[in-house]
Amino acid sequence: MRFTKVFAAATLALSGVSASPVTVTFDLIGILGFDLTEGNKYNSPIPPWLHGSKPGWYYGNNPFAYKDLPCLVGIICKILKFFPYALQCPTPPHNPPPPPNDGYTQTFSNITGATQADDFQTFGLVDTVEQCKAMCNSVQGCNFVNSYHDVNGKGGSTQLTCSLFTKCHDASTADNRGGQSQPDGSIDFIINSDGWCKNGVPISDPQ
Ligand SMILES: *[C@@H]1O[C@H](CO)[C@@H](O)[C@H](O)[C@H]1NC(C)=O
């Protein structure tokens, strides 16, 4: 049944018949159970610095630990290819070692604040900084990666939070220091926050 729906939706998308985008989006949500489109910030409609936010996706080597998130591996990647406007699985990063020039320049390193800015695109969980950059490479318009450990946050996940932005930022807008009460009563805080800008993209003026 699920596969019938996949192929029905794919036919609509590929043949270009006058299916309204709404219908196709509904099919994508119907198939995956998640809204991985840009309008929904790729399943993370609330940015990470606001209360109630949740990662929109997981990209890494431990998908079974994140069964409640869309994990960008395997069959999901194949299904997403039928929906080019939705989030796509990244091309895996070189691992190890990353090439000396991977297309990014570091703008800040190992600080205790995370970027908050209006050009936020989406956020999820990854295992490594390289995987976060690979996610940025697969999201249209992404120019900036902020990876960090949200200690006590994200349901206690020890994975890196990976936030993506369209503009590049320096440490001046990395002023989300956590401070959100968690369901278990703890307060979250940010460590190991790194910023990476695509080479050649200017730093945006502080907001
Ligand atoms: C990051 O900063 C912390 C706290 O100052 C320090 O203990 C840690 O070694 C640093 N990590 C790196 C990779 O520099």
Side-chain angles (χ1 to χ4, degrees):
M1 180 58 194
R2 285 169 71 95
F3 285 96
T4 311
K5 278 175 87 176
V6 172
F7 291 122
T11 308
L12 284 177
L14 292 175
S15 64
V17 292
S18 55
S20 78
V22 173
T23 309
V24 178
T25 302
F26 175 79
D27 285 338
L28 174 63
I29 299 169
I31 292 161
L32 294 181
F34 299 102
D35 182 357
L36 284 169
T37 61
E38 183 183 5
N40 192 42
K41 304 285 188 194
Y42 307 102
N43 200 41
S44 54
I46 304 175
W49 56 90
L50 294 182
H51 194 75
S53 68
K54 290 198 186 84
W57 34 266
Y58 169 73
Y59 174 59
N61 300 323
N62 305 288
F64 294 109
Y66 294 95
K67 287 193 171 129
D68 54 339
L69 295 180
C71 293
L72 300 173
V73 290
I75 182 77
I76 287 187
C77 298
K78 295 192 171 119
I79 294 172
L80 286 170
K81 281 192 181 160
F82 289 115
F83 302 94
Y85 55 86
L87 188 66
Q88 299 296 312
C89 296
T91 306
H94 298 268
N95 186 32
N101 181 352
D102 62 2
Y104 288 85
T105 304
Q106 192 153 19
T107 63
F108 56 84
S109 165
N110 200 22
I111 63 174
T112 55
T115 303
Q116 39 181 337
D118 289 344
D119 55 300
F120 166 74
Q121 289 189 292
T122 184
F123 82 107
L125 299 175
V126 296
D127 300 348
T128 68
V129 174
E130 284 66 38
Q131 288 166 340
C132 191
K133 291 174 181 172
M135 283 301 304
C136 184
N137 292 342
S138 75
V139 173
Q140 189 168 16
C142 180
N143 282 308
F144 182 71
V145 161
N146 176 216
S147 61
Y148 56 92
H149 279 121
D150 183 3
V151 182
N152 297 333
K154 313 290 187 311
S157 166
T158 53
Q159 255 47 38
L160 280 173
T161 300
C162 171
S163 283
L164 306 181
F165 298 83
T166 60
K167 297 176 182 169
C168 285
H169 299 277
D170 59 18
S172 65
T173 47
D175 52 2
N176 166 27
R177 301 188 180 278
Q180 294 176 14
S181 305
Q182 304 300 308
D184 67 359
S186 62
I187 306 285
D188 77 321
F189 58 96
I190 308 294
I191 60 169
N192 306 134
S193 178
D194 290 341
W196 298 90
C197 172
K198 275 198 184 159
N199 291 343
V201 177
I203 302 281
S204 165
D205 289 334
Q207 290 162 337

